[in-house]
Amino acid sequence: MKIKNIQFLLFPCLLLTSCIDEIKLNVHTGQQLFVVDGLITDSMQIHTVKVNYSAIIGNVSTDNVMTPVRGASVRVLDDAGGSFTFTETDNGVYSRSMQGEVGKAYHVEIKTANGKTVLSHPAVLSNAPPLLPATVKVFEELTISQTGRSIYNERLSLEMNTDVSNVTDRPYLRWRATGEYEFGEDYPGIISRKICYIKQNIDFNNIKIFDTHELAGVLLTDEPFLITKYDYRYAFQYCFHLYQYSISADEYKYWKNVQDIVNIDGSLLEPPPGTVKGNLYNPDDLNDRILGYFSVAGVFYTRQFSNAISLGFSAPPLCSIWPPQQPECGNCLTIPKSSVTRPEYWEP
């Protein structure tokens, strides 16, 4: 449930070596910018606020290397006088177990050890409408190789469905998802076979938002969310953890602007959107550019299971080739983020 750091969205075209003309963005090189990544919802859970300095802009050797801001004072405040202090649980990561209340406005206050103050503009936490079961489909995607050969790859699409009939004001929505799959060992002479459960991020760099004011009715159906590879992970059981956030109009505009930069696929001769302005600012220096966004959102969470049988598409297990070649077939704990502890919610 983390919001992505967007420090490099300031200069996306620099990542494209095929630009025909140079596009100059309003970026000052040789400096680090303050970056905040935080989220408060109406779910009782551990919430986090990440505070960092960006990589040095213009220094290729430090690409993607951020500097954690340690020893800061981080509080979340509401409009009813509530104050919630966050504790540094890792370098630059400040955490607290809390639950926001629908109808209250929240903002973050960060004070660094060297006296810098960063605030977010208050935002009202709104109720999230319920998610209906997602539409999950498998299809064959055609690609053409460099030699002109047709290649078909099986892909899985996830489409969102929701009902806004019981929501007073039409919400702005944002969706996130994580995945988890079951994996069984199989190798010659196996005696004690382990079953592992592996967590994974399946919507990395996927920004999906929706303005329900555009709906003619109260049901949103089959709205494309994400497409991922269909393979052995669905052979036994796959669990989608789905999150629907009800975000503010300002946050919707923010993510829309981020999309405009991330999804530059039209004419590169058109002027890019430039720096994306979030809801964070330095009250002592309004010219100080603060990156990131502190999100205040209602959340509706659900999980949904799928497998090869329910999808009607064959997905042979990774270890079905005999003898298996992959090392994880002999020890599934070698798979990153794997565990032999079966989740209590897992379906048989």
Side-chain angles (χ1 to χ4, degrees), residues 1-4 39-47 127-134 158-162 172-180 199-203 206-210 220 223-226 239-247 251 295 297-304 345:
M1 294 170 52
K2 300 176 183 176
I3 297 180
K4 304 178 184 66
L39 169 67
I40 294 298
T41 74
D42 56 343
S43 172
M44 174 56 75
Q45 64 182 70
I46 295 177
H47 292 82
N127 191 40
L131 269 173
L132 303 176
L158 196 64
E159 300 172 354
M160 305 302 276
N161 303 296
T162 191
Y172 297 90
L173 302 177
R174 185 178 183 216
W175 294 304
R176 299 302 307 275
T178 59
E180 192 172 10
K199 298 179 183 294
Q200 58 176 187
N201 182 1
I202 56 174
D203 74 341
N206 180 50
I207 300 171
K208 182 58 185 179
I209 53 177
F210 190 86
L220 174 61
E223 178 64 22
F225 173 34
L226 64 85
C239 179
F240 292 101
H241 298 274
L242 305 175
Y243 304 85
Q244 177 167 269
Y245 297 95
S246 179
I247 61 178
E251 184 172 352
S295 178
V299 61
F300 187 95
Y301 162 77
T302 188
R303 53 181 170 260
Q304 185 168 331
Y345 52 79

Side-chain angles (χ1 to χ4, degrees), residues 73-269:
S73 169
V74 178
R75 295 193 301 163
V76 170
L77 303 101
D78 64 35
D79 57 355
S83 176
F84 308 90
T85 300
F86 282 53
T87 302
E88 188 171 9
T89 54
D90 199 354
N91 293 339
V93 179
Y94 300 82
S95 305
R96 181 196 172 100
S97 179
M98 65 171 291
Q99 181 177 17
E101 294 183 38
V102 172
K104 286 186 177 181
Y106 293 86
H107 73 278
V108 70
E109 174 195 80
I110 301 168
K111 294 184 177 181
T112 67
N114 62 3
K116 183 186 184 78
T117 298
V118 172
L119 303 174
S120 67
H121 295 291
V124 176
L125 197 157
S126 58
N127 191 40
L131 269 173
L132 303 176
T135 302
V136 187
K137 297 183 293 189
V138 179
F139 64 96
E140 290 188 332
E141 182 181 66
L142 172 63
T143 59
I144 306 299
S145 69
Q146 293 182 345
T147 60
R149 187 166 61 94
S150 297
I151 302 174
Y152 290 90
N153 296 301
E154 292 180 347
R155 309 282 281 174
L156 180 142
S157 70
L158 196 64
E159 300 172 354
M160 305 302 276
N161 303 296
T162 191
D163 182 355
V164 297
S165 60
N166 293 323
V167 181
T168 303
D169 297 319
R170 285 291 179 96
Y172 297 90
L173 302 177
R174 185 178 183 216
W175 294 304
R176 299 302 307 275
T178 59
E180 192 172 10
Y181 66 96
E182 181 179 330
F183 184 93
E185 296 176 345
D186 195 0
Y187 57 91
I190 186 171
I191 297 176
S192 180
R193 180 175 182 259
K194 294 196 299 289
I195 302 294
C196 283
Y197 302 88
I198 299 97
K199 298 179 183 294
Q200 58 176 187
N201 182 1
I202 56 174
D203 74 341
F204 181 72
N205 276 345
N206 180 50
I207 300 171
K208 182 58 185 179
I209 53 177
F210 190 86
D211 179 2
T212 62
H213 295 84
E214 301 174 357
L215 279 178
V218 296
L219 293 178
L220 174 61
T221 57
D222 297 339
E223 178 64 22
F225 173 34
L226 64 85
I227 294 176
T228 186
K229 184 178 180 181
Y230 181 74
D231 55 20
Y232 65 90
R233 296 171 298 167
Y234 300 89
F236 301 110
Q237 195 72 287
Y238 195 100
C239 179
F240 292 101
H241 298 274
L242 305 175
Y243 304 85
Q244 177 167 269
Y245 297 95
S246 179
I247 61 178
S248 66
D250 286 340
E251 184 172 352
Y252 175 84
K253 293 175 184 176
Y254 169 80
W255 288 114
K256 189 71 172 67
N257 288 334
V258 172
Q259 278 185 330
D260 290 340
I261 290 182
V262 173
N263 298 331
I264 291 180
D265 57 1
S267 172
L268 292 178
L269 302 180

Side-chain angles (χ1 to χ4, degrees), residues 43-58:
S43 172
M44 174 56 75
Q45 64 182 70
I46 295 177
H47 292 82
T48 61
V49 178
K50 295 182 179 179
V51 187
N52 294 277
Y53 278 105
S54 71
I56 299 176
I57 299 175

